[in-house]
Amino acid sequence: MLYAFSCSRFAWGLLTLGTGLLFAIALFFQYNQGMDPCVMCVYQRAALGGVMLAAALGWLAPQNGLVSTLALFGWLAGAIKGALLAKEHIDYQFNPSPFTKCSTIAEFPSWMALDRWWPVVFHPSGDCADTSWVWMGLSMPQWLMWIFVMLAALAGLFIVVRFKKTVSSKL
């Protein structure tokens, strides 16, 4: 049953919709609440965008084994990268030091200069150490870390389910 769900357009659609909603929430905080994104926020947006692109790819061809597998591993990679970035961001927030500050300039690779291509979304202008927003005792990067960890766990679960199904069908 979990295998069938992992191969369904509905599951990939939920992931696409969910990550799109998270992206929209980030833009709401930026443009409606006046919370300027720092460079770590921008990098986490890029990781979330990677999960969203992988989800859209899976949604387009959920039954194609190769495409679906690439989408699963793209989802996992984006979620793990996002969790690591959020963890680093949390460190900037709760262990401030004049010797370890985050950059104020996004350093995307030249072949993917998101900050220049789409500055409305990826231009950093905030402070990484800012903890002005807290909900239920957690700062925004703390929430994002848990979201990315859950996304990685779900991707890992789907990968294991797919692997087990592939192995059992060959026996």
Side-chain angles (χ1 to χ4, degrees):
M1 182 164 138
L2 192 54
Y3 174 79
F5 181 69
S6 77
C7 295
S8 72
R9 189 175 299 271
F10 180 72
W12 287 105
L14 279 177
L15 181 62
T16 306
L17 184 65
T19 53
L21 181 61
L22 288 170
F23 217 88
I25 290 169
L27 294 175
F28 172 81
F29 276 109
Q30 179 177 352
Y31 290 105
N32 288 16
Q33 302 298 310
M35 295 179 64
D36 293 331
C38 68
V39 74
M40 295 306 294
C41 297
V42 166
Y43 292 157
Q44 289 166 74
R45 284 182 187 182
L48 184 63
V51 175
M52 191 176 3
L53 285 174
L57 180 65
W59 178 76
L60 289 172
Q63 298 297 324
N64 182 309
L66 177 62
V67 171
S68 189
T69 299
L70 285 173
L72 275 171
F73 281 100
W75 168 11
L76 181 63
I80 289 171
K81 183 64 175 178
L84 293 172
L85 288 164
K87 183 180 181 307
E88 183 179 347
H89 192 174
I90 291 165
D91 192 47
Y92 286 130
Q93 284 189 330
F94 295 103
N95 300 308
S97 165
F99 304 108
T100 57
K101 290 188 175 259
C102 70
S103 175
T104 56
I105 300 168
E107 297 173 11
F108 289 108
S110 61
W111 53 269
M112 190 179 286
L114 295 175
D115 57 325
R116 283 183 289 153
W117 297 344
W118 205 6
V120 171
V121 176
F122 294 106
H123 176 73
S125 54
D127 177 14
C128 291
D130 179 22
T131 57
S132 61
W133 186 90
V134 174
W135 185 54
M136 295 175 50
L138 297 176
S139 69
M140 195 169 298
Q142 288 174 314
W143 277 106
L144 283 169
M145 187 179 74
W146 288 112
I147 289 167
F148 280 122
V149 165
M150 293 303 297
L151 285 170
L154 282 172
L157 174 66
F158 280 15
I159 289 168
V160 167
V161 165
R162 296 265 186 106
F163 180 73
K164 280 185 168 184
K165 178 72 173 177
T166 302
V167 169
S168 68
S169 68
K170 290 184 179 184
L171 294 177

